[in-house]
Structure formats: structure tokens, C-alpha cells
């Protein structure tokens, strides 16, 4: 049975699950498959969540802690692998007691989730800003056909990389060399203005047929009418996305447009994004859940 992906709908950082499979990997690393998970799987340009699984001890009042270092989705089976390690000093009978059917408490690392969600949300903001920048001044692109809703976009999104080391967004099309410095300035001004406002991040899951016709062009890939699509919207710009996101754009403390690199037939917008201070964010209000 495939693992239920709770994080697609819920912003919870704590929940319960049941072990479906447990197996050794390399060295001390162990893979645990649960019936459901709140841990975001690595993919879609976003780093996986980290955290811990807590199991009731058989010999003491303290829980047995399994440290989750990486989470990945097996596409063929739909199983989510929680890859990590048990403590070195775990007793053999404690380890042997954790089997199929054992319950555990899942706890996602709050700092990691906040950082990853900030970077991914910032990526959606940049997609939105690309529309604003090029609608305001179409001279940034050679053959402007962009419309306010994003359709007919020349610099159409290709991919995003939202890992902490060097995040960027890549677009099909080129910005002329003599316009790139001005483009960065315009984008930075728009970024400062946008992140100072309250713009809720909207997440919906609905059949493809229910998405407005003018918005369908913004969703990548081929979809059947009955297919349930998870759609993330920022400022009216939408795209299909399985990542985690902040509840509101103004939770990005600082979004910096670092530089623009044009190579071949693509434009890469490199950025950085700082999250708000953790003390300002209650655990259950870091991420957006499904919009009601």
C-alpha cells in the first residue's frame, strides 16, 4: 500500500503513523516505511524534511529516537522511505521490538521546514514577479507577448532549484545583455514591495477540468480531466506543485535577487531568501495547508 502523503494537505509538524516496513540500508542506516507521513519527500526542486520518529521504549519512560536524515518517494510503489539511524546505544530488545505494526510519533524539524518552505515560496514569488516585471516593461524580452495573467509568456518557467546552497529559477528565453542589470534592479524593487504585503499562499487539490481554461496553460505536463492536481497560487499566478510553502508571502524576511545568468536559450534567476525568526512563528502556522 502506498504511503499517504499528509503534507500535501496538512501543515502539521507532528502526527502519528504505523510502521509498514523496516529494513537495513548501508552501514547503520535504516529505511522505515510508514502508512502515512508528514515528512516532505525530496523532489520537485526541494530538499526533503528532516526530523525524528519517536517509539515507545520497552524498558524505560524515555522514547526511542530514530533520526530521519532524508526522505524519498519510490515512484513505482508509492512508498516513502524515511532514511536514518537509531542511537548507537539502543538495546537489542528495544530495536527488535520495532516491527511492522509498531506505532510512532513523527516530528518534523521546524527550522528545516521553515527554511525549505521559505526558499520554495520565494521561487513562486519570483515566477509572479517575472510577470509583473515584464508586463511593466516588455523591453526586457525580444518578442513581448506576455499578458497580465501569465499566458503567452516568453520567459516561461522551466525548472526551479530551491535547495539552500544556491537556489535559482530557470526560464526559456533570453534577456538582452544590455537589459540584465536593469532587470535585476526592477525585480529587486518588486520583491521588496511584494514581500512587505500580506499575500496568502493558496493551495488547492481539484480535478484538472475545474481549473479555469486561461490558467491551465500555466500547469506543466499533460493532465486528464479527472486527474486531481495540487495547485499552488501566489498573487494570481498558479502552478502544479507538491512542495511545502509558507502561509503568507510576508513571512519571507528578505528575498534577494542575486543575479541573472543567460546561457544558450535560457535565463537563470539566482536568489536567496531569509525566513522570519522562529520565535515569531507558531509551529502550526509555518506552512500553508489546503485553502478552504
Amino acid at each position: 500500500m502506498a504511503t499517504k502523503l499528509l503534507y500535501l494537505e496538512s501543515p502539521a509538524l507532528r502526527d502519528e503513523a504505523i510502521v509498514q516496513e523496516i529494513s537495513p540500508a548501508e552501514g547503520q542506516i535504516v529505511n522505515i516505511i510508514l502508512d502515512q507521513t508528514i515528512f516532505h519527500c525530496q523532489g520537485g526542486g526541494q530538499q526533503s524534511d528532516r526530523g525524528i520518529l519517536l517509539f515507545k521504549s520497552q524498558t524505560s519512560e524515555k522514547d526511542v529516537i530514530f533520526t530521519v536524515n532524508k526522505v524519498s518517494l519510490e515512484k513505482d510503489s508509492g512508498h516513502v522511505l524515511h532514511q536514518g539511524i537509531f542511537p548507537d546505544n539502543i538495546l537489542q530488545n528495544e530495536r527488535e521490538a520495532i516491527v511492522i505494526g509498531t506505532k510512532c510519533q513523527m516530528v518534523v524539524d521546524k527550522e528545516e521546514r521553515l527554511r525549505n518552505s521559505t526558499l520554495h515560496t520565494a521561487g513562486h514569488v519570483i515566477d509572479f514577479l517575472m510577470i509583473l516585471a515584464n508586463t511593466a516593461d516588455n523591453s526586457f524580452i525580444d518578442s513581448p507577448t506576455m499578458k497580465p495573467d501569465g499566458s503567452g509568456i516568453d520567459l516561461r518557467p522551466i525548472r526551479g532549484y530551491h535547495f539552500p546552497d544556491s537556489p535559482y529559477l530557470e526560464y526559456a528565453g533570453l534577456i538582452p545583455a544590455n537589459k540584465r542589470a536593469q532587470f535585476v534592479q526592477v525585480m529587486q524593487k518588486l520583491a521588496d514591495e511584494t514581500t512587505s504585503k500580506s499575500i496568502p499562499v493558496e493551495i488547492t487539490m481539484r480535478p484538472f477540468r475545474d481549473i479555469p481554461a486561461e490558467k491551465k496553460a500555466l500547469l506543466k505536463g499533460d493532465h486528464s480531466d479527472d486527474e486531481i492536481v495540487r495547485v499552488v497560487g501566489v498573487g494570481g499566478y498558479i502552478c502544479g506543485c507538491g512542495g511545502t510553502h509558507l502561509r503568507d508571502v510576508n513571512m519571507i524576511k528578505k528575498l534577494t535577487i542575486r543575479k541573472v545568468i543567460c546561457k544558450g536559450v535560457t535565463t537563470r534567476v539566482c536568489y536567496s531568501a531569509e525566513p522570519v525568526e522562529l520565535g515569531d512563528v507558531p509551529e502550526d502556522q509555518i506552512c500553508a495547508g489546503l485553502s478552504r
Side-chain angles (χ1 to χ4, degrees), residues 113-125:
R113 172 63 71 85
L114 177 63
R115 181 191 64 184
N116 294 339
S117 298
T118 298
L119 288 168
H120 202 146
T121 304
H124 287 271
V125 171

Side-chain angles (χ1 to χ4, degrees), residues 92-122:
Q92 184 175 351
N93 64 328
E94 293 276 23
R95 170 64 182 82
E96 292 175 348
I98 300 172
V99 295
I100 295 174
T102 303
K103 293 182 180 180
C104 69
Q105 177 83 10
M106 301 177 287
V107 183
V108 172
D109 186 298
K110 185 167 70 170
E111 292 187 13
E112 291 268 343
R113 172 63 71 85
L114 177 63
R115 181 191 64 184
N116 294 339
S117 298
T118 298
L119 288 168
H120 202 146
T121 304

